[in-house]
Amino acid sequence: MTATPTLPDRGTITMYSTTWCGYCRRLRTQLDSEGIGYTVIDIEDDPATAEFVEQVNGGNRTVPTVVYPDGSAATNPSLADVKAALA
């Protein structure tokens, strides 16, 4: 059963991640420096969330996968992409 993402609050994102992902760490650091709120979901802790990431990414477990308040998703977005999506 694939997890349905819980939409983040306005002005924040949900980031599907792993503990070992360098791109995920970089994006978290950038979000922190900009004061953008986020919730991290480790796809290795919950198989259903890994299935969601695969669904969004054509069968690949590519992280970070970000979900925005409008329900749209992005794979490995830049900080500029996140800011634009939240504007």
Side-chain angles (χ1 to χ4, degrees), residues 33-68:
S33 70
E34 293 291 322
I36 297 171
Y38 58 93
T39 301
V40 175
I41 297 175
D42 188 332
I43 67 169
E44 294 183 323
D45 289 342
D46 183 350
T49 61
E51 289 177 23
F52 167 73
V53 168
E54 289 175 356
Q55 177 185 2
V56 171
N57 294 297
N60 298 309
R61 288 188 183 189
T62 307
V63 290
T65 294
V66 170
V67 175
Y68 298 108

Side-chain angles (χ1 to χ4, degrees), residues 1-85:
M1 180 174 145
T2 302
T4 301
T6 301
L7 297 181
D9 292 334
R10 185 173 178 203
T12 69
I13 63 168
T14 299
M15 181 189 322
Y16 292 85
S17 180
T18 63
T19 57
W20 47 265
C21 172
Y23 295 110
C24 301
R25 283 192 301 272
R26 180 185 68 197
L27 183 57
R28 284 194 307 264
T29 299
Q30 293 171 336
L31 294 169
D32 288 342
S33 70
E34 293 291 322
I36 297 171
Y38 58 93
T39 301
V40 175
I41 297 175
D42 188 332
I43 67 169
E44 294 183 323
D45 289 342
D46 183 350
T49 61
E51 289 177 23
F52 167 73
V53 168
E54 289 175 356
Q55 177 185 2
V56 171
N57 294 297
N60 298 309
R61 288 188 183 189
T62 307
V63 290
T65 294
V66 170
V67 175
Y68 298 108
D70 67 0
S72 64
T75 304
N76 197 14
S78 68
L79 177 61
D81 293 339
V82 172
K83 290 169 76 173

